[in-house]
Amino acid sequence: MVDRPAPLVAEIAEVRALLESHHAGREMASDDVHAAPGTAADTPLDRLAAVMSLSAFERRVVVTAAGVELDGSFARLVAEMNGTKDPRPTFGLLLTALPGGHWDALAPASPLRWWQLVDLDRSDTLATRALRLDESVLHYLVGITALDERLRGIREESSGGPGLAPSQRVVAEDLARTVAGAHARMLVRLEGRDVAAVHAAARYIGAVLGRHATFIRGDALPPPGPDLAAVGRLIDRSALLADELPVLDGEGAGDETLRALIDGLVAPVVLLTGSRTGVQVKGRDELHGSIGWPSPSEQKVIWLEALGLDAVASEANGGLGTAIDDVTQHYRLGVGAVEGAARELLARATTPSDLPASIARLCRQRTRTPLGGLAERVDTHAGWDDLVLPPGQIEMLRDIARQVRHRAEVYERWGFAARGERGLGVTALFAGESGTGKTLAAEVLASDLD
């Protein structure tokens, strides 16, 4: 048996009384006909009527269609009034039996049709067309949370996942507060190489706005046309009724598809631009946000929290603090990547002293990217004793190694990184005739720095 909310049951009973009175050939007294609630949003039906701007008659049309689905005796009454076995109410029946009936309630631009609240059968005349409440709308009215089958593979829930570093959270919060204070249709463009953080930022923006982020796959959208328009209405309807924030992943969709979808939505939208160039849209105020990598100091805090250590314990643990300083300078890892690496480290390490030696190797493995035809990866085994060079050149190479090895000390602990974010890497140009040891010198440095 379907659990029917009491307010909905009461309105179904009111509509039943109207139908029974009409069927008996008598008019109900005006005192017995209660006006449908106005703009309150205490129940799902109230919210539906308010958000979709339903008239009192259109609201009763929805209630009638819901009553047919939820109450067998109500369905039999409607079938009897139709003079058939079909319990679906016809529009002509509703026009005559319910107060305030108006013909444009089923016009293409009417809320019932525009928001796809009801499905109409095919008939010769509008009056004889039977209607059925959209299944997802029925679920909404009775408090069932279910994905509309027409959006399966297109709309995906996003719950959980890694969080944000403080600097990333600041960007997301500023964007969210700007959207919350604006009185316009907003489009937030988010970009960043830390994909997990970009998704987390979209979820955070939704949370600040009191909305639940739902991700829309651009590569699953139909091309511009009626099908895309119908999908857009369903996305928008769900966003408005369930306080959702559509987050559109633009990868895999053409600019025209993205533009047509965004132009048709009423709800605020977040567009994940990735490597895409900007898609031009109209009728929306736009915000742009770039989610960068956590800073080295932020990465260190994330590492320590993920490993369950504090700074003092990390320094006492066989140089773990130094190892963490090194990897935060050498690698760009987001919150999710650090937490995943820390879990793997803890699972593999047999003793705490194993952690410092393993952390750099694991970070290197996790950040290694395919080089394709651009370069050849070389496993290095050469050491300093293999180099035959004048002492001055050997010392210059050791200076390069020391600069790389101690840059975390200089940039983070001494604070030089705060003076500028660029130029913090180390670049060395080896010049000389063939056979003088350039490649071997590079291998020695790579091996020494692990």
Side-chain angles (χ1 to χ4, degrees):
M1 178 179 294
V2 177
D3 185 14
R4 296 165 291 178
L8 180 59
V9 171
E11 291 206 41
I12 291 175
E14 177 193 343
V15 171
R16 178 202 293 271
L18 290 169
L19 295 178
E20 289 175 338
S21 177
H22 176 78
H23 191 42
R26 65 177 186 274
E27 296 295 330
M28 292 186 65
S30 59
D31 292 342
D32 295 330
V33 179
H34 304 289
T39 59
D42 297 329
T43 70
L45 180 58
D46 291 335
R47 183 178 178 86
L48 178 77
V51 171
M52 305 304 175
S53 300
L54 299 182
S55 67
F57 171 69
E58 291 166 337
R59 179 184 178 121
R60 290 192 173 103
V61 169
V62 171
V63 172
T64 305
V68 166
E69 301 289 344
L70 300 175
D71 188 326
S73 61
F74 190 101
R76 287 191 293 273
L77 171 62
V78 174
E80 183 179 341
M81 296 179 70
N82 283 335
T84 67
K85 294 183 179 180
D86 190 349
R88 296 176 301 166
T90 64
F91 186 50
L93 171 63
L94 298 175
L95 277 174
T96 58
L98 300 180
H102 49 94
W103 275 97
D104 61 353
L106 286 190
S110 69
L112 294 177
R113 296 280 298 280
W114 178 265
W115 293 113
Q116 304 178 51
L117 304 183
V118 297
D119 300 320
L120 297 177
D121 73 352
R122 293 299 177 186
S123 182
D124 293 336
T125 64
L126 182 64
T128 58
R129 298 181 73 173
L131 56 88
R132 181 190 297 274
L133 190 65
D134 181 82
E135 182 179 354
S136 293
V137 175
L138 179 64
H139 289 162
Y140 173 77
L141 293 179
V142 298
I144 296 175
T145 302
L147 175 65
D148 193 312
E149 287 295 325
R150 291 162 291 186
L151 295 179
R152 190 168 299 280
I154 298 176
R155 174 183 174 275
E156 298 176 345
E157 294 291 336
S158 176
S159 57
L164 294 169
S167 59
Q168 296 170 331
R169 191 179 302 113
V170 167
V171 175
E173 188 162 1
D174 285 346
L175 291 170
R177 297 200 180 283
T178 303
V179 173
H183 301 284
R185 298 165 68 226
M186 299 296 298
L187 172 65
V188 179
R189 298 179 187 263
L190 276 184
E191 63 178 359
R193 295 180 63 187
D194 186 356
V195 176
V198 172
H199 282 239
R203 291 193 298 270
Y204 188 87
I205 292 172
V208 173
L209 295 175
R211 293 174 173 268
H212 174 66
T214 56
F215 286 76
I216 310 301
R217 291 178 48 190
D219 60 352
L221 292 170
D227 290 342
L228 180 63
V231 166
R233 301 270 172 78
L234 294 176
I235 293 171
D236 219 11
R237 189 181 74 184
S238 183
L240 295 173
L241 292 177
D243 288 324
E244 294 173 352
L245 176 66
V247 180
L248 180 56
D249 186 347
E251 293 297 329
D255 287 358
E256 288 300 323
T257 297
L258 297 178
R259 183 183 300 111
L261 179 66
I262 295 171
D263 284 348
L265 297 178
V266 175
V269 181
V270 173
L271 174 63
L272 309 184
T273 58
S275 60
R276 297 286 302 278
T277 57
V279 177
Q280 300 300 315
V281 299
K282 58 184 179 181
R284 283 184 181 271
D285 290 347
E286 295 189 23
L287 298 173
H288 295 251
S290 181
I291 307 300
W293 294 103
S295 68
S297 59
E298 289 176 328
Q299 288 184 62
K300 182 171 184 178
V301 172
I302 299 167
W303 272 109
L304 294 177
E305 291 178 350
L307 292 171
L309 299 171
D310 56 27
V312 175
S314 69
E315 296 297 340
N317 187 13
L320 179 59
T322 301
I324 292 176
D325 283 340
D326 288 342
V327 297
T328 59
Q329 286 293 334
H330 284 281
Y331 303 100
R332 288 291 175 259
L333 296 175
V335 176
V338 171
E339 292 174 344
R343 285 193 296 270
E344 186 172 345
L345 277 172
L346 294 175
R348 288 184 175 185
T350 56
T351 64
S353 60
D354 293 336
L355 295 177
S358 302
I359 187 170
R361 182 174 63 254
L362 181 59
C363 288
R364 184 171 61 250
Q365 293 170 350
R366 282 179 168 260
T367 57
R368 179 171 290 173
T369 56
L371 297 177
L374 299 177
E376 177 185 352
R377 194 182 306 280
V378 178
D379 292 325
T380 59
H381 305 287
W384 290 106
D385 293 339
D386 297 311
L387 276 178
V388 181
L389 292 171
Q393 292 182 345
I394 291 288
E395 188 60 24
M396 186 182 298
L397 291 172
R398 289 190 180 275
D399 279 342
I400 293 173
R402 281 190 286 266
Q403 184 171 345
V404 173
R405 182 172 289 113
H406 297 293
R407 63 178 181 167
E409 176 82 15
V410 175
Y411 290 141
E412 291 303 312
R413 298 187 181 183
W414 295 359
F416 281 89
R419 301 182 183 182
E421 295 183 353
R422 288 182 288 183
L424 304 185
V426 176
T427 302
L429 174 63
F430 292 175
E433 296 295 330
S434 177
T436 54
K438 299 185 299 298
T439 301
L440 181 61
E443 290 188 17
V444 169
L445 280 175
S447 180
D448 182 60
L449 294 170
D450 194 23

PDB file of all heavy atoms in Angstrom, residues 15 19 22 57 60-62 64-65 78 82 88-102 106 112 127 129 131:
ATOM      1  N   VAL A  15     -11.356  16.801  -3.717  1.00  0.00           N
ATOM      2  CA  VAL A  15     -11.633  16.673  -5.144  1.00  0.00           C
ATOM      3  C   VAL A  15     -12.658  15.573  -5.385  1.00  0.00           C
ATOM      4  O   VAL A  15     -13.541  15.698  -6.253  1.00  0.00           O
ATOM      5  CB  VAL A  15     -10.320  16.388  -5.920  1.00  0.00           C
ATOM      6  CG1 VAL A  15     -10.618  16.024  -7.369  1.00  0.00           C
ATOM      7  CG2 VAL A  15      -9.405  17.602  -5.870  1.00  0.00           C
ATOM      8  N   LEU A  19     -16.127  15.825  -7.535  1.00  0.00           N
ATOM      9  CA  LEU A  19     -16.487  14.916  -8.621  1.00  0.00           C
ATOM     10  C   LEU A  19     -17.819  14.225  -8.344  1.00  0.00           C
ATOM     11  O   LEU A  19     -18.663  14.081  -9.238  1.00  0.00           O
ATOM     12  CB  LEU A  19     -15.374  13.883  -8.825  1.00  0.00           C
ATOM     13  CG  LEU A  19     -14.013  14.420  -9.306  1.00  0.00           C
ATOM     14  CD1 LEU A  19     -12.994  13.278  -9.402  1.00  0.00           C
ATOM     15  CD2 LEU A  19     -14.146  15.122 -10.650  1.00  0.00           C
ATOM     16  N   HIS A  22     -20.665  16.625  -8.876  1.00  0.00           N
ATOM     17  CA  HIS A  22     -20.910  16.828 -10.298  1.00  0.00           C
ATOM     18  C   HIS A  22     -21.575  15.592 -10.915  1.00  0.00           C
ATOM     19  O   HIS A  22     -22.505  15.718 -11.734  1.00  0.00           O
ATOM     20  CB  HIS A  22     -19.587  17.130 -11.007  1.00  0.00           C
ATOM     21  CG  HIS A  22     -19.721  17.271 -12.490  1.00  0.00           C
ATOM     22  ND1 HIS A  22     -20.205  18.414 -13.095  1.00  0.00           N
ATOM     23  CD2 HIS A  22     -19.449  16.391 -13.501  1.00  0.00           C
ATOM     24  CE1 HIS A  22     -20.220  18.251 -14.396  1.00  0.00           C
ATOM     25  NE2 HIS A  22     -19.767  17.033 -14.683  1.00  0.00           N
ATOM     26  N   PHE A  57      -7.153  25.612 -10.283  1.00  0.00           N
ATOM     27  CA  PHE A  57      -7.685  24.550 -11.139  1.00  0.00           C
ATOM     28  C   PHE A  57      -6.577  23.566 -11.518  1.00  0.00           C
ATOM     29  O   PHE A  57      -6.763  22.341 -11.455  1.00  0.00           O
ATOM     30  CB  PHE A  57      -8.319  25.150 -12.391  1.00  0.00           C
ATOM     31  CG  PHE A  57      -8.691  24.137 -13.427  1.00  0.00           C
ATOM     32  CD1 PHE A  57      -9.739  23.236 -13.221  1.00  0.00           C
ATOM     33  CD2 PHE A  57      -7.972  24.053 -14.622  1.00  0.00           C
ATOM     34  CE1 PHE A  57     -10.068  22.286 -14.187  1.00  0.00           C
ATOM     35  CE2 PHE A  57      -8.304  23.114 -15.591  1.00  0.00           C
ATOM     36  CZ  PHE A  57      -9.351  22.228 -15.367  1.00  0.00           C
ATOM     37  N   ARG A  60      -5.788  21.232  -8.759  1.00  0.00           N
ATOM     38  CA  ARG A  60      -6.776  20.153  -8.599  1.00  0.00           C
ATOM     39  C   ARG A  60      -6.643  19.112  -9.723  1.00  0.00           C
ATOM     40  O   ARG A  60      -6.956  17.945  -9.511  1.00  0.00           O
ATOM     41  CB  ARG A  60      -8.184  20.733  -8.550  1.00  0.00           C
ATOM     42  CG  ARG A  60      -8.469  21.521  -7.266  1.00  0.00           C
ATOM     43  CD  ARG A  60      -9.949  21.842  -7.114  1.00  0.00           C
ATOM     44  NE  ARG A  60     -10.212  22.447  -5.828  1.00  0.00           N
ATOM     45  CZ  ARG A  60     -10.426  23.746  -5.625  1.00  0.00           C
ATOM     46  NH1 ARG A  60     -10.388  24.588  -6.670  1.00  0.00           N
ATOM     47  NH2 ARG A  60     -10.668  24.215  -4.424  1.00  0.00           N
ATOM     48  N   VAL A  61      -6.187  19.538 -10.883  1.00  0.00           N
ATOM     49  CA  VAL A  61      -5.920  18.564 -11.942  1.00  0.00           C
ATOM     50  C   VAL A  61      -4.834  17.596 -11.480  1.00  0.00           C
ATOM     51  O   VAL A  61      -4.950  16.376 -11.658  1.00  0.00           O
ATOM     52  CB  VAL A  61      -5.492  19.284 -13.241  1.00  0.00           C
ATOM     53  CG1 VAL A  61      -4.954  18.273 -14.255  1.00  0.00           C
ATOM     54  CG2 VAL A  61      -6.660  20.056 -13.838  1.00  0.00           C
ATOM     55  N   VAL A  62      -3.781  18.132 -10.878  1.00  0.00           N
ATOM     56  CA  VAL A  62      -2.703  17.287 -10.357  1.00  0.00           C
ATOM     57  C   VAL A  62      -3.232  16.364  -9.267  1.00  0.00           C
ATOM     58  O   VAL A  62      -2.919  15.167  -9.234  1.00  0.00           O
ATOM     59  CB  VAL A  62      -1.545  18.160  -9.824  1.00  0.00           C
ATOM     60  CG1 VAL A  62      -0.524  17.308  -9.073  1.00  0.00           C
ATOM     61  CG2 VAL A  62      -0.867  18.917 -10.956  1.00  0.00           C
ATOM     62  N   THR A  64      -6.307  15.295  -8.835  1.00  0.00           N
ATOM     63  CA  THR A  64      -7.169  14.277  -9.441  1.00  0.00           C
ATOM     64  C   THR A  64      -6.334  13.149 -10.044  1.00  0.00           C
ATOM     65  O   THR A  64      -6.617  11.963  -9.836  1.00  0.00           O
ATOM     66  CB  THR A  64      -8.058  14.897 -10.527  1.00  0.00           C
ATOM     67  OG1 THR A  64      -8.796  15.992  -9.988  1.00  0.00           O
ATOM     68  CG2 THR A  64      -9.018  13.861 -11.094  1.00  0.00           C
ATOM     69  N   ALA A  65      -5.294  13.522 -10.800  1.00  0.00           N
ATOM     70  CA  ALA A  65      -4.444  12.510 -11.423  1.00  0.00           C
ATOM     71  C   ALA A  65      -3.714  11.688 -10.370  1.00  0.00           C
ATOM     72  O   ALA A  65      -3.513  10.471 -10.539  1.00  0.00           O
ATOM     73  CB  ALA A  65      -3.444  13.185 -12.356  1.00  0.00           C
ATOM     74  N   VAL A  78     -13.795   7.899 -11.292  1.00  0.00           N
ATOM     75  CA  VAL A  78     -13.441   8.617 -12.519  1.00  0.00           C
ATOM     76  C   VAL A  78     -13.798   7.786 -13.745  1.00  0.00           C
ATOM     77  O   VAL A  78     -14.323   8.311 -14.747  1.00  0.00           O
ATOM     78  CB  VAL A  78     -11.945   8.981 -12.513  1.00  0.00           C
ATOM     79  CG1 VAL A  78     -11.525   9.588 -13.849  1.00  0.00           C
ATOM     80  CG2 VAL A  78     -11.629   9.959 -11.381  1.00  0.00           C
ATOM     81  N   ASN A  82     -16.282   8.738 -16.736  1.00  0.00           N
ATOM     82  CA  ASN A  82     -15.857   8.708 -18.137  1.00  0.00           C
ATOM     83  C   ASN A  82     -16.797   7.863 -18.994  1.00  0.00           C
ATOM     84  O   ASN A  82     -16.846   8.017 -20.220  1.00  0.00           O
ATOM     85  CB  ASN A  82     -14.441   8.137 -18.249  1.00  0.00           C
ATOM     86  CG  ASN A  82     -13.365   9.141 -17.838  1.00  0.00           C
ATOM     87  OD1 ASN A  82     -13.580  10.347 -17.903  1.00  0.00           O
ATOM     88  ND2 ASN A  82     -12.216   8.622 -17.419  1.00  0.00           N
ATOM     89  N   ARG A  88      -8.365   7.157 -16.228  1.00  0.00           N
ATOM     90  CA  ARG A  88      -7.681   8.443 -16.420  1.00  0.00           C
ATOM     91  C   ARG A  88      -8.704   9.534 -16.725  1.00  0.00           C
ATOM     92  O   ARG A  88      -9.547   9.372 -17.605  1.00  0.00           O
ATOM     93  CB  ARG A  88      -6.669   8.340 -17.563  1.00  0.00           C
ATOM     94  CG  ARG A  88      -5.516   7.379 -17.325  1.00  0.00           C
ATOM     95  CD  ARG A  88      -4.630   7.285 -18.560  1.00  0.00           C
ATOM     96  NE  ARG A  88      -5.401   6.832 -19.717  1.00  0.00           N
ATOM     97  CZ  ARG A  88      -4.969   6.911 -20.963  1.00  0.00           C
ATOM     98  NH1 ARG A  88      -3.792   7.445 -21.222  1.00  0.00           N
ATOM     99  NH2 ARG A  88      -5.715   6.464 -21.966  1.00  0.00           N
ATOM    100  N   PRO A  89      -8.645  10.638 -16.029  1.00  0.00           N
ATOM    101  CA  PRO A  89      -9.618  11.712 -16.288  1.00  0.00           C
ATOM    102  C   PRO A  89      -9.344  12.385 -17.624  1.00  0.00           C
ATOM    103  O   PRO A  89      -8.185  12.580 -18.011  1.00  0.00           O
ATOM    104  CB  PRO A  89      -9.390  12.680 -15.124  1.00  0.00           C
ATOM    105  CG  PRO A  89      -7.967  12.462 -14.728  1.00  0.00           C
ATOM    106  CD  PRO A  89      -7.699  10.999 -14.945  1.00  0.00           C
ATOM    107  N   THR A  90     -10.393  12.699 -18.332  1.00  0.00           N
ATOM    108  CA  THR A  90     -10.221  13.477 -19.558  1.00  0.00           C
ATOM    109  C   THR A  90     -10.218  14.955 -19.202  1.00  0.00           C
ATOM    110  O   THR A  90     -10.758  15.378 -18.162  1.00  0.00           O
ATOM    111  CB  THR A  90     -11.345  13.208 -20.557  1.00  0.00           C
ATOM    112  OG1 THR A  90     -12.588  13.659 -19.998  1.00  0.00           O
ATOM    113  CG2 THR A  90     -11.424  11.724 -20.896  1.00  0.00           C
ATOM    114  N   PHE A  91      -9.641  15.750 -20.077  1.00  0.00           N
ATOM    115  CA  PHE A  91      -9.595  17.181 -19.815  1.00  0.00           C
ATOM    116  C   PHE A  91     -11.000  17.770 -19.815  1.00  0.00           C
ATOM    117  O   PHE A  91     -11.310  18.674 -19.025  1.00  0.00           O
ATOM    118  CB  PHE A  91      -8.713  17.861 -20.849  1.00  0.00           C
ATOM    119  CG  PHE A  91      -8.484  19.327 -20.587  1.00  0.00           C
ATOM    120  CD1 PHE A  91      -8.064  19.776 -19.339  1.00  0.00           C
ATOM    121  CD2 PHE A  91      -8.694  20.266 -21.582  1.00  0.00           C
ATOM    122  CE1 PHE A  91      -7.860  21.116 -19.097  1.00  0.00           C
ATOM    123  CE2 PHE A  91      -8.493  21.620 -21.347  1.00  0.00           C
ATOM    124  CZ  PHE A  91      -8.065  22.050 -20.099  1.00  0.00           C
ATOM    125  N   GLY A  92     -11.869  17.260 -20.679  1.00  0.00           N
ATOM    126  CA  GLY A  92     -13.242  17.765 -20.708  1.00  0.00           C
ATOM    127  C   GLY A  92     -13.955  17.513 -19.394  1.00  0.00           C
ATOM    128  O   GLY A  92     -14.697  18.374 -18.896  1.00  0.00           O
ATOM    129  N   LEU A  93     -13.760  16.327 -18.796  1.00  0.00           N
ATOM    130  CA  LEU A  93     -14.363  16.024 -17.502  1.00  0.00           C
ATOM    131  C   LEU A  93     -13.869  16.989 -16.436  1.00  0.00           C
ATOM    132  O   LEU A  93     -14.668  17.536 -15.638  1.00  0.00           O
ATOM    133  CB  LEU A  93     -14.035  14.584 -17.105  1.00  0.00           C
ATOM    134  CG  LEU A  93     -14.415  14.179 -15.679  1.00  0.00           C
ATOM    135  CD1 LEU A  93     -15.924  14.242 -15.471  1.00  0.00           C
ATOM    136  CD2 LEU A  93     -13.887  12.780 -15.355  1.00  0.00           C
ATOM    137  N   LEU A  94     -12.578  17.247 -16.410  1.00  0.00           N
ATOM    138  CA  LEU A  94     -12.020  18.134 -15.387  1.00  0.00           C
ATOM    139  C   LEU A  94     -12.501  19.570 -15.577  1.00  0.00           C
ATOM    140  O   LEU A  94     -12.744  20.281 -14.592  1.00  0.00           O
ATOM    141  CB  LEU A  94     -10.487  18.086 -15.450  1.00  0.00           C
ATOM    142  CG  LEU A  94      -9.861  16.722 -15.159  1.00  0.00           C
ATOM    143  CD1 LEU A  94      -8.363  16.768 -15.365  1.00  0.00           C
ATOM    144  CD2 LEU A  94     -10.192  16.273 -13.746  1.00  0.00           C
ATOM    145  N   LEU A  95     -12.665  19.993 -16.827  1.00  0.00           N
ATOM    146  CA  LEU A  95     -13.157  21.350 -17.084  1.00  0.00           C
ATOM    147  C   LEU A  95     -14.556  21.561 -16.520  1.00  0.00           C
ATOM    148  O   LEU A  95     -14.882  22.634 -15.996  1.00  0.00           O
ATOM    149  CB  LEU A  95     -13.156  21.630 -18.583  1.00  0.00           C
ATOM    150  CG  LEU A  95     -11.843  22.075 -19.233  1.00  0.00           C
ATOM    151  CD1 LEU A  95     -12.005  22.164 -20.738  1.00  0.00           C
ATOM    152  CD2 LEU A  95     -11.386  23.421 -18.671  1.00  0.00           C
ATOM    153  N   THR A  96     -15.381  20.549 -16.632  1.00  0.00           N
ATOM    154  CA  THR A  96     -16.777  20.703 -16.186  1.00  0.00           C
ATOM    155  C   THR A  96     -16.964  20.368 -14.715  1.00  0.00           C
ATOM    156  O   THR A  96     -17.867  20.915 -14.075  1.00  0.00           O
ATOM    157  CB  THR A  96     -17.691  19.795 -17.033  1.00  0.00           C
ATOM    158  OG1 THR A  96     -17.249  18.431 -16.911  1.00  0.00           O
ATOM    159  CG2 THR A  96     -17.661  20.219 -18.491  1.00  0.00           C
ATOM    160  N   ALA A  97     -16.139  19.500 -14.165  1.00  0.00           N
ATOM    161  CA  ALA A  97     -16.366  19.023 -12.792  1.00  0.00           C
ATOM    162  C   ALA A  97     -15.634  19.845 -11.746  1.00  0.00           C
ATOM    163  O   ALA A  97     -16.057  19.883 -10.585  1.00  0.00           O
ATOM    164  CB  ALA A  97     -15.948  17.559 -12.686  1.00  0.00           C
ATOM    165  N   LEU A  98     -14.553  20.493 -12.120  1.00  0.00           N
ATOM    166  CA  LEU A  98     -13.763  21.225 -11.133  1.00  0.00           C
ATOM    167  C   LEU A  98     -13.957  22.722 -11.300  1.00  0.00           C
ATOM    168  O   LEU A  98     -14.040  23.216 -12.433  1.00  0.00           O
ATOM    169  CB  LEU A  98     -12.274  20.886 -11.297  1.00  0.00           C
ATOM    170  CG  LEU A  98     -11.883  19.414 -11.119  1.00  0.00           C
ATOM    171  CD1 LEU A  98     -10.377  19.241 -11.319  1.00  0.00           C
ATOM    172  CD2 LEU A  98     -12.296  18.893  -9.743  1.00  0.00           C
ATOM    173  N   PRO A  99     -14.051  23.457 -10.215  1.00  0.00           N
ATOM    174  CA  PRO A  99     -14.253  24.908 -10.321  1.00  0.00           C
ATOM    175  C   PRO A  99     -13.018  25.600 -10.902  1.00  0.00           C
ATOM    176  O   PRO A  99     -11.889  25.143 -10.733  1.00  0.00           O
ATOM    177  CB  PRO A  99     -14.495  25.328  -8.865  1.00  0.00           C
ATOM    178  CG  PRO A  99     -13.866  24.266  -8.032  1.00  0.00           C
ATOM    179  CD  PRO A  99     -14.009  22.991  -8.803  1.00  0.00           C
ATOM    180  N   GLY A 100     -13.294  26.699 -11.589  1.00  0.00           N
ATOM    181  CA  GLY A 100     -12.207  27.522 -12.111  1.00  0.00           C
ATOM    182  C   GLY A 100     -11.537  26.966 -13.338  1.00  0.00           C
ATOM    183  O   GLY A 100     -10.427  27.396 -13.695  1.00  0.00           O
ATOM    184  N   GLY A 101     -12.178  26.020 -14.030  1.00  0.00           N
ATOM    185  CA  GLY A 101     -11.550  25.409 -15.193  1.00  0.00           C
ATOM    186  C   GLY A 101     -11.254  26.418 -16.288  1.00  0.00           C
ATOM    187  O   GLY A 101     -12.060  27.299 -16.560  1.00  0.00           O
ATOM    188  N   HIS A 102     -10.073  26.292 -16.925  1.00  0.00           N
ATOM    189  CA  HIS A 102      -9.730  27.191 -18.031  1.00  0.00           C
ATOM    190  C   HIS A 102      -9.019  26.380 -19.115  1.00  0.00           C
ATOM    191  O   HIS A 102      -8.203  25.506 -18.848  1.00  0.00           O
ATOM    192  CB  HIS A 102      -8.868  28.359 -17.556  1.00  0.00           C
ATOM    193  CG  HIS A 102      -7.682  27.980 -16.710  1.00  0.00           C
ATOM    194  ND1 HIS A 102      -6.427  27.775 -17.231  1.00  0.00           N
ATOM    195  CD2 HIS A 102      -7.580  27.762 -15.372  1.00  0.00           C
ATOM    196  CE1 HIS A 102      -5.592  27.465 -16.251  1.00  0.00           C
ATOM    197  NE2 HIS A 102      -6.266  27.444 -15.115  1.00  0.00           N
ATOM    198  N   LEU A 106      -3.990  23.315 -20.521  1.00  0.00           N
ATOM    199  CA  LEU A 106      -3.249  22.307 -21.266  1.00  0.00           C
ATOM    200  C   LEU A 106      -2.582  22.879 -22.509  1.00  0.00           C
ATOM    201  O   LEU A 106      -2.200  22.138 -23.411  1.00  0.00           O
ATOM    202  CB  LEU A 106      -4.157  21.135 -21.657  1.00  0.00           C
ATOM    203  CG  LEU A 106      -4.535  20.174 -20.529  1.00  0.00           C
ATOM    204  CD1 LEU A 106      -5.220  18.942 -21.097  1.00  0.00           C
ATOM    205  CD2 LEU A 106      -3.317  19.753 -19.718  1.00  0.00           C
ATOM    206  N   LEU A 112       1.418  22.769 -16.569  1.00  0.00           N
ATOM    207  CA  LEU A 112       1.187  21.330 -16.620  1.00  0.00           C
ATOM    208  C   LEU A 112       1.937  20.688 -17.777  1.00  0.00           C
ATOM    209  O   LEU A 112       2.471  19.566 -17.646  1.00  0.00           O
ATOM    210  CB  LEU A 112      -0.313  21.034 -16.740  1.00  0.00           C
ATOM    211  CG  LEU A 112      -1.178  21.409 -15.539  1.00  0.00           C
ATOM    212  CD1 LEU A 112      -2.653  21.127 -15.845  1.00  0.00           C
ATOM    213  CD2 LEU A 112      -0.748  20.652 -14.287  1.00  0.00           C
ATOM    214  N   ALA A 127     -10.511  18.066 -25.527  1.00  0.00           N
ATOM    215  CA  ALA A 127     -11.426  17.724 -24.444  1.00  0.00           C
ATOM    216  C   ALA A 127     -11.456  16.232 -24.148  1.00  0.00           C
ATOM    217  O   ALA A 127     -11.691  15.821 -23.004  1.00  0.00           O
ATOM    218  CB  ALA A 127     -12.829  18.239 -24.765  1.00  0.00           C
ATOM    219  N   ARG A 129      -8.932  14.126 -24.489  1.00  0.00           N
ATOM    220  CA  ARG A 129      -7.614  13.570 -24.194  1.00  0.00           C
ATOM    221  C   ARG A 129      -7.511  13.232 -22.715  1.00  0.00           C
ATOM    222  O   ARG A 129      -7.736  14.083 -21.847  1.00  0.00           O
ATOM    223  CB  ARG A 129      -6.512  14.546 -24.595  1.00  0.00           C
ATOM    224  CG  ARG A 129      -6.504  14.850 -26.080  1.00  0.00           C
ATOM    225  CD  ARG A 129      -5.395  15.800 -26.464  1.00  0.00           C
ATOM    226  NE  ARG A 129      -4.084  15.151 -26.436  1.00  0.00           N
ATOM    227  CZ  ARG A 129      -2.965  15.732 -26.853  1.00  0.00           C
ATOM    228  NH1 ARG A 129      -3.014  16.974 -27.332  1.00  0.00           N
ATOM    229  NH2 ARG A 129      -1.823  15.091 -26.821  1.00  0.00           N
ATOM    230  N   LEU A 131      -5.467  12.166 -19.315  1.00  0.00           N
ATOM    231  CA  LEU A 131      -4.151  12.549 -18.808  1.00  0.00           C
ATOM    232  C   LEU A 131      -3.764  11.668 -17.622  1.00  0.00           C
ATOM    233  O   LEU A 131      -4.609  11.153 -16.894  1.00  0.00           O
ATOM    234  CB  LEU A 131      -4.116  14.027 -18.425  1.00  0.00           C
ATOM    235  CG  LEU A 131      -5.131  14.558 -17.407  1.00  0.00           C
ATOM    236  CD1 LEU A 131      -4.620  14.409 -15.989  1.00  0.00           C
ATOM    237  CD2 LEU A 131      -5.440  16.021 -17.709  1.00  0.00           C
TER     238      LEU A 131
END
